Amino acid sequence: MRVRAAVVTLGIAGLTLGTLTTPAHASSWTPAGVFKTKYACVDAGQAYVREGWNEYSCTTTKPPSTYSLWIR
């Protein structure tokens, strides 16, 4: 019983510490624009990563003629 309580307490402390050290913009996906070509979307995403964001994702929108850029 004591071991389980200690593990739960350490787990909660670890989650709290992880939340405090994570930048606000890295916790969820944020829309960053819509582009006509995948090349333009990837280029913009790489620029955001160079500026300090963690990662980017380009998704096809409907109709598939444009690409949405998501960053976190």
Side-chain angles (χ1 to χ4, degrees):
M1 208 50 147
R2 290 180 187 173
V3 173
R4 184 184 307 168
V7 169
V8 170
T9 302
L10 288 175
I12 292 172
L15 288 174
T16 303
L17 181 60
T19 304
L20 294 176
T21 60
T22 304
H25 64 267
S27 61
S28 64
W29 290 100
T30 304
V34 177
F35 300 89
K36 291 183 180 180
T37 64
K38 186 167 185 173
Y39 175 80
C41 183
V42 169
D43 190 37
Q46 290 173 345
Y48 275 104
V49 170
R50 285 191 299 270
E51 294 296 322
W53 290 79
N54 292 334
E55 61 183 307
Y56 70 92
S57 176
C58 293
T59 59
T60 305
T61 58
K62 294 181 183 178
S65 58
T66 59
Y67 296 88
S68 295
L69 174 62
W70 299 88
I71 54 177
R72 69 173 179 178

